[in-house]
């Protein structure tokens, strides 16, 4: 088999994952895109391992490790997303702007920014409490 | 030289088709390529729908198709053990976890128009640039490289177990410690949530 087939497929999958991470708003959909990117890397590892006929099979061993780490990552990531959802009532990444740099350094400006951002102040108070 | 070797193998296969079928299965090398291409197209399409659909549960279900297609690609690359681990871990547990997460965060079931953020054109531009650059570099680098899929299976369970427990034992144990840490971390995160609720 031509080596370009799995390599091109992995590159395109990685690009799709990049688009998903950057364009999605829901945190769980971002996690799905991260899984796509990890799988693209796994495909590359397996293809090059089979091509090189590595005696240690480093590519396949690393693929297994990547799959296990991805499982751990998805567990922790979902626990964090659920905690954020319970504290804020939303899992949209665009609305989690508490640690964002305010556009103007004045306090009134930050209050305006918070209200125009459609973030209820009650949620913020609950989150910081 | 590799090309010449591949042509030689192909000539041998053409001269002895029955023997080739008996030793290497029913798919000729070009057949493997065609199957890889078709399954790859399905995988790419499912991945595209996953990142563009506006129905959140459908995104998770299309992710199943994409990951299952990748498992088939692993099978075509003779990495059997990786393929079944992919089916078990990704299709079996990760997607189920994602669906549970979607349900627990009260994701809208139907059409949700705000699934994509406002920086969608920028994301598309970045992804297109990354895809173009990566595909160009990869095709230019591996234009004359061929994978020799004949011979012994390289990713069977026996081979994977031997290399994993002979050469990669220490990383394997470290990985189990990491999984334990992730388990404890997930439990701690969810326990704090329950105490806050009460």
């Amino acid at each position: 088999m031509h080596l370009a087939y799995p390599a091109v497929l992995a590159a395109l999958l990685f690009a799709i994952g990049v688009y998903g991470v950057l364009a999605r708003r829901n945190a769980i959909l971002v996690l799905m895109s991260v899984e796509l990117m990890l799988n693209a890397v796994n495909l590359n590892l397996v293809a090059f391992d089979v091509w090189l006929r590595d005696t240690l099979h480093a590519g396949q061993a690393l693929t297994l490790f990547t799959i296990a780490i991805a499982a751990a990552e998805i567990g922790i990531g979902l626990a964090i997303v659920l905690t954020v959802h319970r504290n804020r009532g939303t899992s949209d990444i665009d609305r989690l702007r508490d640690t964002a740099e305010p556009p103007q350094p004045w306090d009134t400006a930050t209050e305006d920014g918070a209200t125009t951002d459609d973030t209820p102040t009650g949620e913020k108070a609950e989150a910081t409490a | 030289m590799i090309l010449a070797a591949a042509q030689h193998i192909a000539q041998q296969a053409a001269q002895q088709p029955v023997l080739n079928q008996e030793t290497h299965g029913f798919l000729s090398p070009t057949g493997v390529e065609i199957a890889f291409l078709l399954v790859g197209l399905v995988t790419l399409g499912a991945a595209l729908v996953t990142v563009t659909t506006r129905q959140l549960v459908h995104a998770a279900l299309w992710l199943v198709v994409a990951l299952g297609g990748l498992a088939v690609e692993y099978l075509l690359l003779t990495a059997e053990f990786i393929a079944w681990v992919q089916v078990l871990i990704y299709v079996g547990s990760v997607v189920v976890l994602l669906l549970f997460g979607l349900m627990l965060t009260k994701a809208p079931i139907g059409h949700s128009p705000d699934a994509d953020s406002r920086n969608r054109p920028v994301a598309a531009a970045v992804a297109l640039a990354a895809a173009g650059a990566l595909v160009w570099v990869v095709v230019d680098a591996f234009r004359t490289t061929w994978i020799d899929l004949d011979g012994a299976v390289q990713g069977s369970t026996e081979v994977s177990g031997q290399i994993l427990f002979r050469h990669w034992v220490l990383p394997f144990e470290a990985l189990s410690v990491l999984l334990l840490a992730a388990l404890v971390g997930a439990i701690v995160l969810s326990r704090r949530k329950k105490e806050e609720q009460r």
Side-chain angles (χ1 to χ4, degrees):
Chain A
M1 190 188 326
H2 207 298
L3 183 58
Y5 286 123
V8 167
L9 177 62
L12 290 177
L13 264 183
F14 190 84
I16 290 173
V18 167
Y19 170 77
V21 167
L22 291 179
R24 285 304 202 176
R25 181 173 281 177
N26 193 314
I28 296 177
L29 291 178
V30 172
L31 282 176
M32 286 185 204
S33 308
V34 171
E35 293 302 315
L36 278 180
M37 292 164 74
L38 283 169
N39 270 287
V41 175
N42 284 347
L43 182 62
N44 254 341
L45 284 172
V46 170
F48 281 90
D49 181 87
V50 174
W51 171 51
L52 289 171
R53 293 191 166 275
D54 191 6
T55 50
L56 289 184
H57 283 296
Q60 294 189 23
L62 199 56
T63 303
L64 286 175
F65 295 163
T66 311
I67 289 175
I69 288 175
E73 171 250 336
I74 207 80
I76 295 289
L78 279 177
I80 292 172
V81 169
L82 286 183
T83 310
V84 167
H85 177 78
R86 294 212 178 168
N87 284 337
R88 308 292 181 90
T90 180
S91 57
D92 287 354
I93 293 178
D94 286 3
R95 299 170 75 181
L96 306 175
R97 300 186 59 85
D98 278 357
T99 57
E101 290 277 341
Q104 288 104 9
W106 307 105
D107 287 338
T108 55
T110 57
E111 289 294 326
D112 286 343
T115 48
T116 53
D117 220 19
D118 292 337
T119 306
T121 50
E123 285 180 11
K124 283 194 151 190
E126 181 197 358
T128 50
Chain B
M1 198 182 95
I2 299 170
L3 261 175
Q7 281 175 356
H8 184 63
I9 290 170
Q11 282 174 359
Q12 274 187 344
Q15 283 169 2
Q16 300 171 339
V18 180
L19 187 69
N20 187 34
Q21 274 181 356
E22 281 177 0
T23 51
H24 302 306
F26 65 97
L27 283 178
S28 65
T30 54
V32 172
E33 280 187 355
I34 290 169
F36 193 94
L37 202 64
L38 290 178
V39 178
L41 283 178
V42 170
T43 306
L44 275 183
L48 261 180
V49 176
T50 301
V51 298
T52 53
T53 182
R54 297 194 182 276
Q55 306 195 4
L56 305 185
V57 181
H58 286 195
L61 296 180
W62 280 105
L63 190 67
V64 172
V65 179
L67 299 177
L70 270 173
V72 177
E73 306 284 42
Y74 292 152
L75 275 182
L76 290 176
L77 285 170
T78 71
E80 298 170 8
F81 186 66
I82 305 279
W84 299 124
V85 165
Q86 168 96 2
V87 170
L88 275 177
I89 306 265
Y90 272 110
V91 182
S93 75
V94 165
V95 174
V96 173
L97 264 182
L98 285 170
L99 280 171
F100 268 119
L102 280 177
M103 290 174 196
L104 287 176
T105 55
K106 299 186 183 64
I109 296 292
H111 192 82
S112 63
D114 60 343
D116 291 329
S117 68
R118 278 172 306 209
N119 50 11
R120 199 175 161 189
V122 183
V126 170
L128 278 180
L134 281 174
V135 168
W136 178 50
V137 167
V138 157
V139 169
D140 197 34
F142 303 113
R143 203 169 34 207
T144 58
T145 314
W146 299 79
I147 301 176
D148 187 15
L149 287 179
D150 297 332
V153 176
Q154 301 199 43
S156 64
T157 310
E158 185 183 355
V159 175
S160 295
Q162 276 180 358
I163 57 112
L164 205 59
F165 290 106
R166 190 172 290 169
H167 304 290
W168 301 96
V169 171
L170 194 60
F172 189 81
E173 298 297 333
L175 193 72
S176 56
V177 174
L178 180 119
L179 272 179
L180 179 68
L183 185 70
V184 173
I187 289 174
V188 165
L189 279 174
S190 34
R191 254 190 72 200
R192 203 180 59 200
K193 280 183 300 194
K194 280 176 187 170
E195 282 173 0
E196 280 176 2
Q197 254 190 346
R198 283 167 192 165

